[in-house]
Amino acid sequence: MTSSTTPRRLVRRADFVACSKGRRVATAAFVLQERRRGDDLPPRFGFTVTKKTGGAVERNRMRRRLKEAVRLGAAPCAAPGSDYVLVLNRNALDRPFDTLMTDLADALRRASVPRPPRHPAGAPS
């Protein structure tokens, strides 16, 4: 993380789009999307809440809760050189905060586990 406790943020649309094409890990309150940048810079986080999840007040409350969870608990689990986007759903509003923190840590750990190599269709295994 950076020298302060505030994690770095994703701000460019291109970074959000690139994350949407990366690895996904679903939890009860959000979907974590991860993209490896290929550098050793600190991880960056972005947050997305669609309008169909509720009004502006509820969407902002969901976003604030997840931002705080990232600020408090993402440092030990987030991989350097990665971008993460959290796509929030309605459960993020009512989920207990400690459970939200556990979900975040678990999703970050699951995203960092290497995937087994894919075999092309028709190739011998």
Side-chain angles (χ1 to χ4, degrees):
M1 303 255 105
T2 57
S3 58
S4 69
T5 59
T6 305
R8 292 181 56 196
R9 298 229 0 244
L10 287 178
V11 290
R12 292 180 38 230
R13 183 178 189 279
D15 293 329
F16 280 83
V17 170
C19 271
S20 72
K21 296 174 183 168
R23 191 165 196 183
R24 294 171 186 256
V25 176
T27 70
F30 58 88
V31 174
L32 177 78
Q33 300 172 338
E34 182 213 22
R35 175 184 76 112
R36 301 279 168 121
R37 294 187 310 261
D39 57 32
D40 289 332
L41 295 174
R44 298 183 302 175
F45 290 86
F47 303 87
T48 301
V49 187
T50 63
K51 287 187 177 183
K52 65 182 176 183
T53 58
V57 172
E58 291 172 328
R59 292 193 314 267
N60 286 331
R61 190 176 324 139
M62 286 184 261
R63 191 177 299 114
R64 282 193 307 268
R65 292 185 84 219
L66 258 296
K67 280 182 181 180
E68 185 66 5
V70 166
R71 187 184 74 79
L72 294 174
C77 303
S82 289
D83 288 339
Y84 299 98
V85 172
L86 291 115
V87 182
L88 305 157
N89 66 42
R90 188 115 181 114
N91 292 336
L93 194 59
D94 301 320
R95 200 147 173 90
F97 190 74
D98 58 339
T99 306
L100 211 53
M101 295 271 300
T102 304
D103 289 348
L104 176 63
D106 183 50
L108 288 168
R109 273 192 286 279
R110 287 173 32 206
S112 68
V113 173
R115 291 190 226 183
R118 285 186 162 171
H119 296 290
S125 306

